[in-house]
Amino acid sequence: MRILICLLIVLAVSFQQVKSQGCVAIRSNGAVCTKQDAGKDHLQGWQLNVGYRYFKSFRHFVGTKEQKQRIEEKTDVRNWASVVNFTLARHLNHRWSLALDLPVLANRRSSLYEHGGRQRHSTHSFGLGDIRVSAYRWLLDPAIHMKGNVQVGLGIKLPTGDYKYQDFFYKADSTQVLGPVDQSIQLGDGGTGFTTELNAYYNFSHVVSVYGNFFYLFNPREQNGVSTARGATPSATSLLYQTSTMSVPDQYMARAGANISIHDLTVSGGMRMECIPVHDLIGGSTGFRRPGYVVSAEPGVSYQLKKLTAFASVPVALVRSRTQSVPDKIRSELTDVRAQGDAAFADYSINIGMAIRF
């Protein structure tokens, strides 16, 4: 059971991220697992998870091809993102649990093109992100099925993060204009969403186990009305191709891997995929978005200390792709020339944190 504890603590913060790959705006909505020590009645009560995630994105991709000249020419866009997630979980019994996930974000974005193209300047955002409330249930009785189980979760994501956050942009004549910051560093997406989760594990022995984790955020709202013109008037081109306002996209994540546990220490290794899809499953998909996906190798480690567990993981990107958006397809059809935007991605992210049971 100790293998299961450490595995699921790592899962609890594995998706605590803010636009985890830079310009591809994957937001901090949880994938919170609340199933530590399944089947043990003495853990009915409260648990607090505190996780921190950091990354820097700067490598530009169109499809899976890296635009290496952007770094050489120093025209690359650089995003620094940090998020602290506070997740309070209530274990109602050995099968049911509830969780409240509250993220606090701090972002910085440095670019040339947003500031007249001559000098590099930065925009910032800081504050509360989108809060999520979820309920979880084991499909099998954990008291009987000790070797493996599957947990399902349903939640609601509330638009509590400021999705209209503004900062100053420099123009070519050195004047400043106040406008909404880029979608990649906005604190929220402006939509009320619904989340589904599927979490599973199987213990081959007290030493070796495997895990799987899937998370999907449905965002029915198509656009949030926030201008992409950075304080200026939307261009005729952005209106024509339907990129003048920000989209409210779906997102999903899938993870799978294995763990080796020795006493209170667990080492894990697996694969992780995070994605902003081109098309939402519910509602329209127009408006400005940078769809894309990242496939990463994800090593992790956790250590159990009575009622406290410390953990860390470092997903390292193996495949990065900026896919063709709906506005890209509209532009391609109208011009008869294939259009596909780029996006900046990180090489890796750092996740650390702890879980406290009380």
Side-chain angles (χ1 to χ4, degrees):
M1 188 57 66
R2 189 165 290 162
I3 300 173
L4 175 61
I5 301 172
C6 296
L7 157 65
L8 298 177
I9 291 291
V10 172
L11 282 174
V13 293
S14 63
F15 199 48
Q16 292 172 354
Q17 74 95 311
V18 209
K19 296 78 62 183
S20 68
Q21 303 303 332
C23 290
V24 176
I26 304 171
R27 300 197 175 273
S28 173
N29 294 314
V32 177
C33 300
T34 59
K35 50 191 184 295
Q36 291 80 2
D37 256 346
K40 291 194 174 182
D41 291 339
H42 73 275
L43 282 188
Q44 295 180 16
W46 295 94
Q47 178 171 309
L48 175 65
N49 296 344
V50 182
Y52 170 76
R53 181 163 183 161
Y54 166 83
F55 75 86
K56 174 189 175 182
S57 68
F58 62 100
R59 297 193 187 277
H60 288 255
F61 286 79
V62 176
T64 57
K65 183 178 180 181
E66 184 179 356
Q67 308 297 295
K68 296 182 179 179
Q69 74 278 5
R70 295 291 298 274
I71 296 177
E72 296 169 358
E73 298 167 354
K74 298 183 179 181
T75 61
D76 57 308
V77 177
R78 305 163 193 169
N79 279 10
W80 292 264
S82 296
V83 59
V84 178
N85 266 79
F86 300 93
T87 304
L88 184 63
R90 172 65 177 177
H91 302 266
L92 303 178
N93 53 48
H94 65 291
R95 297 191 75 164
W96 283 95
S97 53
L98 302 173
L100 171 68
D101 180 70
L102 188 154
V104 179
L105 293 72
N107 305 311
R108 178 163 72 96
R109 177 179 174 87
S110 170
S111 68
L112 286 172
Y113 83 95
E114 294 175 300
H115 304 278
R118 295 181 181 178
Q119 290 185 323
R120 181 176 291 273
H121 293 282
S122 296
T123 49
H124 306 79
S125 62
F126 174 79
L128 178 69
D130 288 347
I131 292 174
R132 191 166 71 95
V133 181
S134 305
Y136 299 88
R137 186 181 190 276
W138 288 105
L139 296 185
L140 304 176
D141 188 344
I144 300 174
H145 300 273
M146 303 295 291
K147 290 186 69 67
N149 212 331
V150 177
Q151 185 193 55
V152 295
L154 295 175
I156 182 169
K157 189 220 28 117
L158 303 173
T160 53
D162 185 356
Y163 60 96
K164 302 177 182 179
Y165 200 97
Q166 298 187 75
D167 202 350
F168 286 98
F169 294 87
Y170 288 80
K171 300 304 177 182
D173 59 359
S174 297
T175 60
Q176 297 183 49
V177 176
L178 184 65
V181 299
D182 187 80
Q183 184 181 56
S184 64
I185 64 169
Q186 286 288 346
L187 301 179
D189 58 27
T192 298
F194 304 92
T195 62
T196 58
E197 296 179 60
L198 185 67
N199 307 302
Y201 74 93
Y202 186 81
N203 294 323
F204 290 102
S205 68
H206 292 293
V207 176
V208 180
S209 64
V210 293
Y211 66 87
N213 180 237
F214 180 77
F215 172 94
Y216 197 100
L217 166 64
F218 297 87
N219 259 326
R221 187 176 186 181
E222 185 171 15
Q223 300 178 24
N224 61 20
V226 178
S227 172
T228 59
R230 300 173 178 84
T233 302
S235 67
T237 301
S238 68
L239 293 171
L240 178 63
Y241 302 142
Q242 301 183 37
T243 60
S244 61
T245 58
M246 297 181 188
S247 175
V248 185
D250 288 2
Q251 68 183 57
Y252 66 85
M253 180 200 69
R255 300 172 68 249
N259 303 272
I260 296 177
S261 182
I262 301 175
H263 301 296
D264 295 322
L265 176 68
T266 293
V267 177
S268 65
M271 299 297 294
R272 171 191 187 110
M273 180 179 183
E274 296 164 276
C275 180
I276 294 291
V278 176
H279 298 280
D280 294 346
L281 292 182
I282 301 174
S285 305
T286 61
F288 181 80
R289 75 171 71 180
R290 298 183 184 95
Y293 63 87
V294 181
V295 178
S296 303
E298 186 177 21
V301 62
S302 65
Y303 191 80
Q304 179 79 22
L305 294 168
K306 295 184 178 179
K307 292 188 176 182
L308 185 147
T309 300
F311 46 81
S313 67
V314 183
V316 178
L318 302 177
V319 179
R320 289 159 283 193
S321 178
R322 201 306 203 163
T323 49
Q324 191 181 35
S325 66
V326 169
D328 288 339
K329 294 179 180 181
I330 294 173
R331 182 169 187 164
S332 299
E333 183 176 349
L334 292 177
T335 63
D336 202 29
V337 177
R338 180 180 173 82
Q340 186 169 347
D342 72 321
F345 292 80
D347 285 338
Y348 61 88
S349 63
I350 298 173
N351 307 270
I352 58 174
M354 63 180 180
I356 305 171
R357 295 183 299 275
F358 53 92

